[in-house]
Amino acid sequence: MRLNLNKIIITMQALKATLQKEGLRYTRQRQEIWNELRSSDEHRDAEEIFFTLRKRGLNISRATVYRTIDVLVKNNLLDKLDIGDGRARFEYNEKYFHHDHLVCTRCGKIFEFHNDNIEELQNEIAKQKNFKILHHNHQLFGICEDCQ
Amino acid sequence: MRLNLNKIIITMQALKATLQKEGLRYTRQRQEIWNELRSSDEHRDAEEIFFTLRKRGLNISRATVYRTIDVLVKNNLLDKLDIGDGRARFEYNEKYFHHDHLVCTRCGKIFEFHNDNIEELQNEIAKQKNFKILHHNHQLFGICEDCQ
DNA sequence: TTATATGCAAACCCTTTGCAATCCG
DNA sequence: CGGATTGCAAAGGGTTTGCATATAA
C-alpha cells in the first residue's frame, strides 16, 4: 500500500518536474493523461486514452492528448512503439526495464522480451560504423502460442 | 554484361511466376513498377516510384503503385520497411542477404547491417515463448558519422 | 469477348494545426 | 491580468477504395 502510494507520488512529481523543465504548465488534462497512461501495462494508443478520459467525464480533446503525449515521449517519460499498423502505441517508460516486442499478426497481442546479448551486439554494430545510437526499434512478428 | 541480362530475365520471370500463382495478369504497369524497384539499392517509397514512372511518360496512378507493391510484398519479392515517419519504404528482397537498418535521425540516411548472432538470439527468444516468427523489424536510430 | 486492371477522385485513418475561448500562475 | 493551454473543426499526409473505362488473355 505504502509502496504504491509512493510510486504514484514519485511519478506525479516526474510529470511536474518535466513540465517545469520545459516551461509548461501543470494542467488537469496533462495530469489525467499521464495517470491514465501509467494505469496499465497495456500498449495504448492516443484514441483509446482520449475515449477513456472522455467516458470518465473529463473535458478533453484528441489534440490535447496528442500534444501531451508528444511532450512525454520527448522527455522519455513514455516510450513510443511503432508496430507498423499506422497507429502509434505508448507505454510508461520504467527506465530500468527496457524491452522489445513480439507482435502476433493473427490476434494482435503484444509480448515483451529483453535480451542483454542483443543489446550489446547492437552497441558493437553502432561502434563499428561510428554511429551514435539514440534509441531503437526491435519487433518480432509472427504467430503466438495461442494462435497456432 | 551477360550476367546482368540473366539477372534481369530471372527477376522478370519471378514477377511473372508470382502473378501467375496469384491468378493476376502480367501488365505493363506491374512490369515497370517491379523494374523500377529493382533498379537501385535505395529504400524507395510509393510516391517516388509513382513520380519516377510518370516523369518517364508511363501512364500510371498512385493506386496501381500501391496495389502492385502490396502483391509484391505479400509474395516476398519486396521487403517493406517502416522507419516510423509514416511513410513505408520498399526494397528488392534478395532473399539470401537479409539485413536490418541504422537510421540517422538528423540526415535521414539509412545504413544496413546484418548480424548472425542477433538473428540466432531472436530465434531462441521466439522458441522460448513458443512463438513462430514470420518476419521482424530491427532499426537502430541515432546520429551517423557524418552528422556528428 | 469478358473479367481483370487501371486511372481518377473521393474517402480513410491517424495525426497536426489554426484559432477563438479558457485557464493557470 | 496576459500569455499558455485548450477544444473544436479543418487541414495534412500517406494509403485505400468505388467506379467507369481500358486492356490482357
Side-chain angles (χ1 to χ4, degrees):
Chain A
M1 258 336 210
R2 187 183 300 158
L3 237 159
N4 281 340
L5 191 57
N6 275 341
K7 207 172 169 183
I8 288 167
I9 291 167
I10 288 164
T11 51
M12 278 178 66
Q13 290 183 338
L15 174 63
K16 276 190 180 167
T18 298
L19 292 175
Q20 198 154 45
K21 192 187 69 168
E22 293 278 326
L24 301 172
R25 292 175 178 172
Y26 184 68
T27 65
R28 180 78 195 280
Q29 285 84 348
R30 285 174 177 157
Q31 182 197 124
E32 296 274 10
I33 290 166
W34 175 232
N35 273 346
E36 187 50 39
L37 275 158
R38 285 178 18 262
S39 73
S40 87
D41 306 13
E42 311 281 311
H43 303 84
R44 329 272 303 268
D45 61 72
E47 188 71 9
E48 209 215 297
I49 298 296
F50 168 65
F51 263 111
T52 304
L53 295 177
R54 262 287 162 103
K55 264 186 289 185
R56 196 175 296 160
L58 183 68
N59 187 13
I60 199 163
S61 67
R62 248 174 281 261
T64 296
V65 172
Y66 279 106
R67 288 189 277 231
T68 298
I69 283 177
D70 221 47
V71 175
L72 299 176
V73 170
K74 284 202 181 87
N75 286 276
N76 294 312
L77 271 69
L78 230 51
D79 280 336
K80 183 176 185 172
L81 186 60
D82 188 344
I83 65 169
D85 66 350
R87 202 163 16 122
R89 310 298 154 87
F90 303 92
E91 59 181 347
Y92 174 44
N93 177 359
E94 296 254 14
K95 272 181 183 152
Y96 303 108
F97 181 52
H98 163 74
H99 58 259
D100 295 298
H101 299 91
L102 290 141
V103 181
C104 179
T105 55
R106 199 158 288 165
C107 69
K109 274 205 291 286
I110 302 175
F111 305 86
E112 300 174 350
F113 75 87
H114 175 86
N115 185 292
D116 280 326
N117 292 330
I118 291 179
E119 302 290 323
E120 184 48 35
L121 288 164
Q122 286 179 169
N123 291 338
E124 280 172 25
I125 288 161
K127 195 185 273 180
Q128 267 172 38
K129 309 223 189 235
N130 206 2
F131 190 94
K132 206 165 105 195
I133 296 185
L134 294 174
H135 59 277
H136 68 263
N137 256 0
H138 195 179
Q139 286 118 238
L140 312 181
F141 295 90
I143 312 296
C144 74
E145 190 163 19
D146 293 346
C147 288
Q148 281 172 40
Chain B
M1 257 340 211
R2 187 183 297 159
L3 237 160
N4 282 341
L5 191 58
N6 275 341
K7 206 171 168 183
I8 288 166
I9 290 167
I10 287 165
T11 51
M12 279 179 65
Q13 288 183 341
L15 174 63
K16 277 190 179 167
T18 298
L19 292 175
Q20 197 153 48
K21 192 187 67 167
E22 293 277 326
L24 302 171
R25 292 174 179 173
Y26 184 69
T27 65
R28 179 79 195 281
Q29 284 84 347
R30 285 172 177 158
Q31 183 199 124
E32 297 273 10
I33 290 165
W34 176 230
N35 274 345
E36 188 50 39
L37 274 158
R38 283 179 20 262
S39 73
S40 86
D41 306 14
E42 311 280 312
H43 304 85
R44 329 272 304 266
D45 61 73
E47 188 71 7
E48 209 215 298
I49 298 296
F50 168 64
F51 263 110
T52 305
L53 296 176
R54 261 289 161 103
K55 264 187 291 186
R56 195 175 295 159
L58 182 67
N59 186 13
I60 199 163
S61 67
R62 250 173 278 261
T64 297
V65 172
Y66 279 107
R67 287 189 278 233
T68 299
I69 283 177
D70 220 48
V71 174
L72 299 176
V73 171
K74 283 202 180 88
N75 286 277
N76 293 313
L77 295 181
L78 228 50
D79 280 336
K80 183 176 186 172
L81 185 60
D82 188 343
I83 65 168
D85 65 350
R87 200 162 20 121
R89 310 298 154 86
F90 303 93
E91 60 182 347
Y92 173 45
N93 178 358
E94 297 253 13
K95 273 181 183 154
Y96 303 109
F97 181 52
H98 163 73
H99 58 260
D100 295 297
H101 300 90
L102 290 142
V103 182
C104 180
T105 54
R106 198 157 290 165
C107 69
K109 275 207 291 285
I110 301 175
F111 306 85
E112 299 174 349
F113 75 87
H114 175 86
N115 185 295
D116 280 326
N117 292 330
I118 291 179
E119 302 289 322
E120 184 47 35
L121 287 165
Q122 286 179 168
N123 292 337
E124 280 172 25
I125 289 161
K127 195 186 270 177
Q128 267 173 35
K129 309 223 189 236
N130 206 1
F131 190 94
K132 208 165 105 193
I133 296 184
L134 295 174
H135 60 278
H136 69 263
N137 257 0
H138 195 179
Q139 287 117 239
L140 312 181
F141 295 91
I143 313 296
C144 76
E145 190 163 19
D146 294 346
C147 287
Q148 283 171 38

